[in-house]
């Protein structure tokens, strides 16, 4: 997993190096996720990178009833992941990324629940890795790594350390 997360770190390095204007002007999360996805595409050859992707093959992504994450809206409060790295036709799901701006005051639990569900191996569209990123204008303020339906504390500490080593965050 560290190999795949290193690719995310490289994409974040390029994102912060190239997109200072967007960050300084405090543009919306969807704009930032689109630009980050552009840099992720360079790091994951042979994979597709999509924003707000709500399919697995021909099926629409849906979670079991009773979860706190809605699956029936298009207003951003849904299972639609901000960015995914996958192979659409197979389907093969590698990485799901949820991005939050540091100025976002909505409860973080929604994004955390979404990543737990999206990486749960008992759900038919499980992603191998999920990452939650809180972006400030100059660095990644917070990160969490999810796998097998739960937060991976060791990988979270490792990713925070890698980001710190690259000048992109604090451990």
């Amino acid at each position: 997993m560290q190999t795949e997360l290193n690719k995310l770190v490289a994409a974040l390095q390029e994102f912060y190096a190239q997109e200072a204007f967007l960050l300084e002007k405090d543009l919306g999360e969807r704009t930032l996720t689109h630009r980050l996805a552009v840099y992720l595409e360079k790091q994951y050859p042979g994979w597709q990178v999509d924003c707000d992707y709500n399919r697995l093959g021909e099926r629409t992504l849906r979670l079991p009833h009773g979860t706190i994450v809605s699956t029936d809206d298009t207003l951003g409060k849904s299972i639609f992941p901000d960015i995914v790295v996958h192979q659409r036709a197979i389907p093969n799901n590698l990485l799901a990324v949820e991005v939050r701006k540091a100025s976002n005051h909505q409860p973080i639990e929604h994004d955390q629940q979404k990543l737990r569900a999206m990486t749960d191996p008992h759900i038919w569209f499980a992603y191998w890795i999920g990452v939650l990123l809180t972006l400030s204008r100059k660095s990644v303020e917070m990160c969490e790594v999810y796998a097998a339906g739960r937060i991976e504390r060791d990988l979270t500490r490792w990713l925070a350390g890698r980001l710190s080593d690259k000048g992109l965050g604090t451990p």
Side-chain angles (χ1 to χ4, degrees), residues 50-108:
D50 291 306
C51 294
D52 293 324
Y53 196 79
N54 70 341
R55 295 278 191 267
L56 179 69
E58 298 298 317
R59 298 199 269 180
T60 300
L61 297 180
R62 297 209 186 278
L63 291 177
H65 294 293
T67 62
I68 67 168
V69 179
S70 169
T71 61
D72 58 1
D73 73 82
T74 56
L75 301 176
K77 302 239 184 256
S78 65
I79 189 59
F80 310 161
D82 289 336
I83 305 170
V84 294
V85 178
H86 62 155
Q87 294 171 323
R88 295 180 197 127
I90 296 176
N92 187 14
N93 295 321
L94 177 62
L95 174 66
V97 180
E98 286 296 312
V99 174
R100 295 174 58 89
K101 288 175 40 178
S103 60
N104 182 341
H105 298 294
Q106 296 297 316
I108 197 169

Side-chain angles (χ1 to χ4, degrees), residues 26-160:
D26 199 29
L27 270 83
E29 286 179 14
R30 288 186 181 191
T31 299
L32 300 179
T33 58
H34 165 72
R35 295 306 304 160
L36 179 56
V38 168
Y39 301 112
L40 283 168
E41 279 184 320
K42 296 175 185 179
Q43 297 297 321
Y44 292 93
W47 295 86
Q48 285 87 45
V49 178
D50 291 306
C51 294
D52 293 324
Y53 196 79
N54 70 341
R55 295 278 191 267
L56 179 69
E58 298 298 317
R59 298 199 269 180
T60 300
L61 297 180
R62 297 209 186 278
L63 291 177
H65 294 293
T67 62
I68 67 168
V69 179
S70 169
T71 61
D72 58 1
D73 73 82
T74 56
L75 301 176
K77 302 239 184 256
S78 65
I79 189 59
F80 310 161
D82 289 336
I83 305 170
V84 294
V85 178
H86 62 155
Q87 294 171 323
R88 295 180 197 127
I90 296 176
N92 187 14
N93 295 321
L94 177 62
L95 174 66
V97 180
E98 286 296 312
V99 174
R100 295 174 58 89
K101 288 175 40 178
S103 60
N104 182 341
H105 298 294
Q106 296 297 316
I108 197 169
E109 291 80 13
H110 174 77
D111 291 323
Q112 292 168 323
Q113 175 67 21
K114 192 188 309 188
L115 287 169
R116 278 192 292 274
M118 291 173 54
T119 60
D120 184 341
H122 299 103
I123 296 181
W124 55 267
F125 54 84
Y127 286 79
W128 191 46
I129 310 167
V131 177
L132 175 58
L133 300 170
T134 300
L135 307 180
S136 70
R137 290 182 177 172
K138 302 287 183 191
S139 66
V140 177
E141 271 192 16
M142 188 277 295
C143 65
E144 292 178 342
V145 179
Y146 292 80
R150 59 186 174 78
I151 190 167
E152 286 288 333
R153 301 224 182 268
D154 290 340
L155 278 173
T156 295
R157 280 189 290 277
W158 180 87
L159 179 58

